[in-house]
Amino acid sequence: MSYKPSPVASAPVVPPLTRPQLTEARRVRTAELFEQGRSSAEIARMLGVSHESVRRWKRVWEEGGADALRRRPATGRPPKLDDTQVEQVRTALEQGAQAHGFEADLWTLERVGLVVERVTGCHCRGRRSGVC
């Protein structure tokens, strides 16, 4: 008699949190623990972070509340590629370098730049690359 696993209803796939999302979740959890009256040392131990980080987050929390511990939108130059273009580039890169005419199946920064340019028309190489 062989073992056959019972069929399981497929659960929705939840993508893993990104590093910035995890960091924000840790800071927000810290705020909840501050509100419960936990000590900084206890919070650091519970969350596996340094005492210095907890002290810094406590100062921010005392000045601006839990919302002050949330991520802020990135500043600086806006991205040259939109989400659709990024996905097109990702798909192209997953095909491998040889699929794009390179002799070896090895990605270099220059090769990636060439593929980005071919796929999106955006010239993203060099220090002063043009705007897409």
Side-chain angles (χ1 to χ4, degrees):
M1 187 158 122
S2 64
Y3 170 76
K4 291 184 182 176
S6 61
V8 177
S10 62
V13 177
V14 178
L17 295 177
T18 63
R19 178 173 281 156
Q21 290 170 327
L22 286 170
T23 304
E24 178 181 3
R26 189 177 295 129
R27 289 191 309 261
V28 170
R29 178 68 179 135
T30 301
E32 293 168 357
L33 295 170
F34 288 145
E35 290 168 357
Q36 292 175 10
R38 307 274 183 140
S39 71
S40 294
E42 184 179 11
I43 293 171
R45 238 184 348 270
M46 290 174 70
L47 300 180
V49 297
S50 70
H51 297 283
E52 292 80 15
S53 291
V54 174
R55 282 193 289 270
R56 185 174 60 250
W57 297 338
K58 186 170 188 177
R59 189 172 54 251
V60 170
W61 174 71
E62 288 172 341
E63 292 172 3
D67 284 341
L69 292 171
R70 295 200 176 274
R71 282 190 312 160
R72 292 180 295 282
T75 59
R77 182 189 308 229
K80 290 185 176 188
L81 304 178
D82 61 30
D83 291 343
T84 303
Q85 291 172 311
V86 169
E87 195 53 43
Q88 290 170 339
V89 171
R90 179 177 287 122
T91 300
L93 295 176
E94 287 173 349
Q95 296 170 352
Q98 288 178 326
H100 294 279
F102 300 108
E103 190 173 317
D105 207 20
L106 172 72
W107 285 115
T108 64
L109 187 58
E110 183 179 355
R111 288 178 178 185
V112 170
L114 286 169
V115 171
V116 168
E117 189 171 346
R118 288 177 193 162
V119 170
T120 66
C122 178
H123 179 74
C124 297
R125 292 176 286 145
R127 287 181 61 192
R128 296 186 185 246
S129 56
V131 177
C132 299

